[in-house]
């Protein structure tokens, strides 16, 4: 009788040991954190760069404005887009949003604009920005458009250069009519430079500088019809 009792007790203990061993050997699975994928830059399609946009629909209640469909190629890993539109006459910037690769926006006629698209993705604060394009929205009876405002190439805005006696200012400019005639450069240490360096047909000019100063400059672009545009104010520091 005792022998049977011992066999039963041994069998019970063995089952408990096997049960505990089996339970402890099961692998534990750690919860995984989703990985956010970085969005890609959009490729712009329309309005095309450095051109006149003549496909807008004139607004029924205001013939000084027209609605233009902005288009771009869909970007990878992107859930939505921000369309940044800058009025180059006033400098004001507006933001529109879209979940597709186009957006209808009402804008002023006979006005130069600059635009780009920011790609956004859910779950991440990382964004991607497209190239920046410029265009003129067709106006009422306009036969010739003023040049687009010039863009500084070197020194880049806000940059710092080492002490040197001279530096070459370089800029780029474009015109729908391709009839730029000259550039006037305003340059100096005042935040509103009034010192004119004269007119030039080149897109570079050499200036004299000194260490310890911040220099400001802007470009006035004039075409063959005497239409002109003023660039934004550019600045750089000399150490």
């Amino acid at each position: 009788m005792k022998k049977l009792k011992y066999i039963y007790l041994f069998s019970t203990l063995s089952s408990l040991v096997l049960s505990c061993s089996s339970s402890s050997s099961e692998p534990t699975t750690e919860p995984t954190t989703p990985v956010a994928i970085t969005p890609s830059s959009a490729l712009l399609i329309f309005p095309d760069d450095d051109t006149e946009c003549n496909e807008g629909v004139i607004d029924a209640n205001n013939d000084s404005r027209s609605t233009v469909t902005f288009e771009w190629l869909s970007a990878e890993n992107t859930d939505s887009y921000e369309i940044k539109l800058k009025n180059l006459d006033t400098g004001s910037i507006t933001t529109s949003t879209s979940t597709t690769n186009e957006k209808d926006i009402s804008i002023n006629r006979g006005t130069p604009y600059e635009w780009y698209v920011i790609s956004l993705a859910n779950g991440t604060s990382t964004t991607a920005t497209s190239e920046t394009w410029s265009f003129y929205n067709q106006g009422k009876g306009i036969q010739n458009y003023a040049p687009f405002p010039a863009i500084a190439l070197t020194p880049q805005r806000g940059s710092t250069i080492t002490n040197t006696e001279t530096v070459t200012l370089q800029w780029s400019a474009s015109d729908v009519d391709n009839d730029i005639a000259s550039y006037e450069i305003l340059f100096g240490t005042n935040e509103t430079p009034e010192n004119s360096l004269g007119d030039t047909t080149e897109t570079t000019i050499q200036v004299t500088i000194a260490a310890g100063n911040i220099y400001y400059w802007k470009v006035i672009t004039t075409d063959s019809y005497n239409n002109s545009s003023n660039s934004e104010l550019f600045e750089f520091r000399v150490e």
Side-chain angles (χ1 to χ4, degrees), residues 42-46 70-75 81 83 98 100-103 115 117:
L43 298 177
L44 306 184
I45 298 177
F46 183 83
F70 290 76
E71 303 174 56
W72 56 94
L73 290 178
S74 297
Y81 304 91
I83 303 91
S98 177
T100 67
N101 64 327
E102 64 179 38
K103 181 69 176 181
W115 71 293
V117 173

Side-chain angles (χ1 to χ4, degrees), residues 52-163:
E52 177 190 21
C53 173
N54 54 16
E55 296 185 20
V57 177
I58 299 174
D59 293 358
N61 298 321
N62 185 355
D63 66 358
S64 66
R65 294 177 67 83
S66 62
T67 298
V68 174
T69 301
F70 290 76
E71 303 174 56
W72 56 94
L73 290 178
S74 297
E76 293 183 352
N77 310 319
T78 300
D79 297 300
S80 61
Y81 304 91
E82 285 187 352
I83 303 91
K84 297 288 187 178
L85 184 64
K86 181 177 183 178
N87 183 321
L88 294 178
D89 281 345
T90 64
S92 62
I93 299 175
T94 58
T95 301
S96 301
T97 59
S98 177
T99 56
T100 67
N101 64 327
E102 64 179 38
K103 181 69 176 181
D104 291 341
I105 305 176
S106 177
I107 58 178
N108 294 337
R109 298 175 66 193
T111 303
Y113 284 94
E114 185 178 85
W115 71 293
Y116 61 92
V117 173
I118 300 174
S119 302
L120 309 172
N122 297 334
T124 178
S125 59
T126 303
T127 61
T129 303
S130 71
E131 292 182 340
T132 299
W133 281 7
S134 301
F135 70 96
Y136 257 100
N137 192 29
Q138 186 181 51
K140 297 182 286 186
I142 295 179
Q143 300 298 317
N144 185 274
Y145 288 93
F148 290 110
I151 300 172
L153 298 179
T154 56
Q156 293 184 352
R157 174 186 285 177
S159 64
T160 299
I161 62 177
T162 56
N163 184 21

